[in-house]
């Protein structure tokens, strides 16, 4: 892909690789200036938007690891996640700033900043020097844990890169591909959805919260926006199946469906192959 090609499609607009990189670099350079270290956790509490992805990439470019926290996460759980990772920096958005400040009021925070803060724009848009080793932590994702207490799983750069490279080579992911991003950033499938697609020069169709609540709308996006790749739990895709009966023509764009984490209904592959003639 050229640097001016679309990389993220969202809510009728597009973001280019060039813009994504420059905006991520500004955040990374701001974090570096504020003494952000390797293997330090920086929390991301944001609504779904291209800014969310810019933030995650910026944290990694700074050399730190990201801690994804969905806005709907209960306050007490957010505090546990922050405390157990010793995270003292949070990047959020304007709409969530008041709540985040209340949650962290009695915590020792070094930084709670909105990605929309105009001061970030004054930092360099140039790529920061890479400081990471392959064994450094890239992110932590929390599970509910068998006791109900959140448990964080730390994943290093080497592990992530191995997965990205394997999928790219095994399934020939390239700049002709377009993935519909339906997964939460607090769920590990999102790691491939972001970094696997971007590193292959492909396009990411980021869904907003309203779209995620409407399976009929998701099916419309799948069928009308040249989506080639779907990646989710089986249950997330099953929500679309009842509306597939109304498809009058077969779709020839969708070629890959990845389903993970839970059992796959035995009828699902046949339904997909009936409606999507090139699907694997």
């Amino acid at each position: 892909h050229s640097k001016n090609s679309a990389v993220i499609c969202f809510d009728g607009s597009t973001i280019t690789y060039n813009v994504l990189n420059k905006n991520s670099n500004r955040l990374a350079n701001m974090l570096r200036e504020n003494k952000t270290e390797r293997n330090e956790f920086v929390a991301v509490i944001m609504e779904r938007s291209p800014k969310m992805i810019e933030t995650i990439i910026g944290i990694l470019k700074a050399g730190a690891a990201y801690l994804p926290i969905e806005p709907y996460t209960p306050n007490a759980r957010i505090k546990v996640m922050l405390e157990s990772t010793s995270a003292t920096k949070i990047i959020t958005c304007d709409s969530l700033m008041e709540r985040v400040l209340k949650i962290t009021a009695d915590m020792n925070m070094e930084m709670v900043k909105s990605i929309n803060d105009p001061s970030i724009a004054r930092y360099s848009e140039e790529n920061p020097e890479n400081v990471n080793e392959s064994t450094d932590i890239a992110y932590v994702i929390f599970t509910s844990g068998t006791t109900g207490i959140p448990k964080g799983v730390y994943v290093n750069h080497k592990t992530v890169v191995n997965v990205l490279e394997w999928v790219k080579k095994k399934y020939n992911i390239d700049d002709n591909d377009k993935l519909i991003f339906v997964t939460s950033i607090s769920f590990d499938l999102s790691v491939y959805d972001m970094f696997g697609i971007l590193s292959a020069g492909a396009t990411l169709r980021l869904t907003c919260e309203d779209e995620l609540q409407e399976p009929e709308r998701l099916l419309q996006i799948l069928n009308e926006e040249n989506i080639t790749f779907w990646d989710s739990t089986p249950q997330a895709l099953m929500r679309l199946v009842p509306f597939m009966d109304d498809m009058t023509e077969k779709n020839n764009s969708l070629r890959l469906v990845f389903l993970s984490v839970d059992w796959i209904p035995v009828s699902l592959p046949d339904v997909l192959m009936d409606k999507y003639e090139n699907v694997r």
Side-chain angles (χ1 to χ4, degrees), residues 28-222:
N29 288 315
M30 183 274 289
L31 289 170
R32 285 271 180 94
E33 189 170 298
N34 284 273
K35 298 182 171 57
T36 305
E37 305 288 341
R38 288 166 54 191
N39 296 309
E40 176 182 347
F41 290 103
V42 179
V44 180
I45 308 178
M46 296 181 70
E47 295 169 344
R48 292 175 75 87
S49 74
K51 288 289 183 186
M52 176 186 76
I53 297 175
E54 289 174 4
T55 299
I56 291 171
I57 294 174
I59 291 167
L60 290 172
K61 279 174 171 279
Y66 73 95
L67 163 59
I69 302 175
E70 287 286 4
Y72 53 73
T73 307
N75 291 3
R77 182 178 171 92
I78 291 176
K79 293 189 76 167
V80 169
M81 294 163 75
L82 293 171
E83 289 169 349
S84 64
T85 57
S86 301
T88 59
K89 296 184 177 78
I90 298 173
I91 308 297
T92 185
C93 50
D94 289 350
S95 60
L96 297 171
M97 177 62 81
E98 184 177 352
R99 179 183 171 216
V100 172
L101 288 173
K102 285 182 179 177
I103 293 171
T104 58
D106 60 348
M107 302 177 71
N108 184 25
M109 286 287 136
E110 295 176 14
M111 176 190 296
V112 179
K113 186 178 280 289
S114 169
I115 192 64
N116 308 106
D117 189 325
S119 68
I120 297 175
R122 72 178 175 85
Y123 287 89
S124 171
E125 63 186 29
E126 298 301 315
N127 293 319
E129 179 187 358
N130 179 29
V131 297
N132 288 111
E133 302 289 340
S134 65
T135 53
D136 287 345
I137 301 168
Y139 66 88
V140 57
I141 283 183
F142 278 80
T143 66
S144 57
T146 53
T147 62
I149 299 171
K151 290 182 172 63
V153 179
Y154 294 7
V155 181
N156 63 25
H157 285 266
K158 177 171 63 175
T159 303
V160 176
V161 171
N162 283 343
V163 172
L164 305 190
E165 286 296 301
W166 175 77
V167 174
K168 180 180 177 181
K169 292 175 182 176
K170 176 75 174 177
Y171 297 101
N172 301 312
I173 311 301
D174 61 23
D175 58 7
N176 293 307
D177 281 300
K178 186 176 185 180
L179 179 139
I180 180 169
F181 185 11
V182 297
T183 306
S184 161
I185 59 168
S186 294
F187 188 36
D188 59 3
L189 291 186
S190 68
V191 178
Y192 179 82
D193 291 352
M194 290 184 288
F195 306 119
I197 290 302
L198 299 184
S199 65
T203 302
L204 190 64
R205 173 45 165 100
L206 176 62
T207 53
C208 64
E209 288 294 342
D210 287 346
E211 289 169 337
L212 287 176
Q213 303 309 314
E214 299 181 27
E216 193 169 9
R217 173 65 182 132
L218 291 176
L219 183 61
Q220 181 183 17
I221 296 169
L222 187 62

